[in-house]
Amino acid sequence: MAKLLYEIVQHDGGWAYKVGETYSETFPSHEDALRAAETAAAEQRVAGATDGIQFEDAEGRWHDEVARGDDRPDTEVSD
C-alpha cells in the first residue's frame, strides 16, 4: 500500500502542506494549513468505486486501465 506524507511548510509568504514535490495553496496561518492537510489526508483514505480510466502518456499513447476503488493510500500529516 502506498503512503502519502502531508508536510506542513512555510510557503510563498504563508503556510502550505506539501505532498512529495507538490504544494497546496498558501494559507495565512500554520493552523489553517494543518487543518487543510488533515482534511485532505482523510479524504485520500476514503474508498471510491472501481472504474475504468484512460490516460495519455508522455509519448502521446493512450492507455485503458481499471482503477480499484478500494486501493487507497495510507496517509500521515507531519507537523
Side-chain angles (χ1 to χ4, degrees):
M1 172 183 298
K3 182 170 186 171
L4 298 177
L5 178 62
Y6 290 71
E7 296 178 83
I8 309 304
V9 295
Q10 288 185 308
H11 179 66
D12 202 21
W15 293 88
Y17 62 85
K18 181 179 172 187
V19 179
E21 296 302 315
T22 303
Y23 290 89
S24 70
E25 65 187 276
T26 302
F27 296 91
S29 73
H30 180 275
E31 184 64 31
D32 290 338
L34 178 59
R35 279 197 307 266
E38 290 170 340
T39 298
E43 288 174 355
Q44 278 286 348
R45 292 187 301 264
V46 175
T50 297
D51 203 354
I53 60 171
Q54 292 183 323
F55 66 94
E56 186 177 8
D57 65 22
E59 285 78 40
R61 291 182 298 244
W62 283 90
H63 301 268
D64 293 308
E65 291 186 2
V66 174
R68 290 185 17 224
D70 64 347
D71 185 19
R72 305 308 309 152
D74 184 24
T75 62
E76 179 181 341
V77 177
S78 174
D79 185 20

